[in-house]
Amino acid sequence: MTTPPAARYIGRMRFVSLLAVACLGLSACASSSFTTEVKGESTVPAGPPGVDTPLNGLPAISSFAGMDFDKNQDFKNQGIHKGEVTSVKVESLTLKVLSPNDQDLRFLDSVEFYARAGDREARIAARQDVSALDLRPPNPVLSLRVDNVELQPFVSAPSMSIIIRGRGIMPAREVRLQAVVKLQVETGLL
């Protein structure tokens, strides 16, 4: 017994329709990604003249304290709330001398950045032997080595901070630094 042409046509159309619905359903659940950037500044005080004074820490970056990513402009532009984020990773982290523009980074031996939310903390980037890198003025930029850390739990927390730690010798002059953290954000939404 052969199937009439009209029945074969209807059967194919049902299959095509079912396939189209399945594809639409899968694409609605596909992930979407975007990059966001957070910037902040810190000023390292000058050491006493003529004395090599150990630098046992770097001043906090105030704009990196208590960040709420629901207030982040890139999240707003994407129409995303931090609770919808499925993954966040550091794409890059740089530290730049803003002033004086003829200052190098030889006063730093090591620098590390940490993400913190509540009592949870994870290192996100670091660089050792900074003074040996010979980063010269004007306005040298240090690229840190990024750790492969999942930051989704930090970003979706009520607030997140990025902490800077470093060691070296206090500079002869006050040095203003800028940190730029680029984050790759993924969501389960299109």
Side-chain angles (χ1 to χ4, degrees):
M1 178 174 190
T2 61
T3 308
R8 281 193 304 245
Y9 176 76
I10 291 171
R12 281 190 208 126
M13 290 307 294
R14 283 185 186 155
F15 177 75
V16 169
S17 295
L18 183 60
L19 187 60
V21 168
C23 288
L24 285 173
L26 287 174
S27 68
C29 296
S31 67
S32 171
S33 67
F34 63 96
T35 302
T36 189
E37 185 176 274
V38 290
K39 291 181 182 182
E41 294 181 16
S42 179
T43 302
V44 181
V51 179
D52 282 348
T53 305
L55 176 67
N56 294 318
L58 292 170
I61 299 173
S62 62
S63 62
F64 285 179
M67 293 182 290
D68 180 353
F69 280 87
D70 278 342
K71 296 178 181 171
N72 176 290
Q73 191 59 51
D74 293 319
F75 275 62
K76 289 178 182 180
N77 292 346
Q78 295 289 325
I80 300 295
H81 296 284
K82 63 187 178 186
E84 298 170 325
V85 169
T86 57
S87 178
V88 180
K89 301 259 179 133
V90 176
E91 191 174 281
S92 67
L93 199 155
T94 59
L95 194 61
K96 177 181 181 178
V97 173
L98 293 178
S99 68
N101 69 348
D102 62 345
Q103 174 68 46
D104 58 31
L105 284 166
R106 285 185 294 187
F107 68 93
L108 276 179
D109 288 331
S110 65
V111 64
E112 298 176 309
F113 282 79
Y114 290 82
R116 179 183 287 166
D119 60 355
R120 195 171 173 183
E121 188 174 280
R123 191 178 85 172
I124 59 172
R127 194 69 189 246
Q128 304 300 319
D129 300 320
V130 176
S131 57
L133 296 175
D134 197 29
L135 300 170
R136 297 174 188 242
N139 308 99
V141 177
L142 171 67
S143 293
L144 280 78
R145 293 188 177 112
V146 173
D147 295 334
N148 186 23
V149 176
E150 180 55 64
L151 294 179
Q152 185 276 338
F154 294 90
V155 169
S156 63
S159 71
M160 171 186 161
S161 297
I162 297 176
I163 305 202
I164 182 173
R165 296 182 181 142
R167 296 198 174 279
I169 301 294
M170 292 184 80
R173 303 175 287 178
E174 184 178 273
V175 178
R176 199 175 68 166
L177 300 171
Q178 178 188 60
V180 179
V181 183
K182 287 186 180 177
L183 301 169
Q184 184 65 37
V185 181
E186 291 185 18
T187 69
L189 305 173
L190 255 185

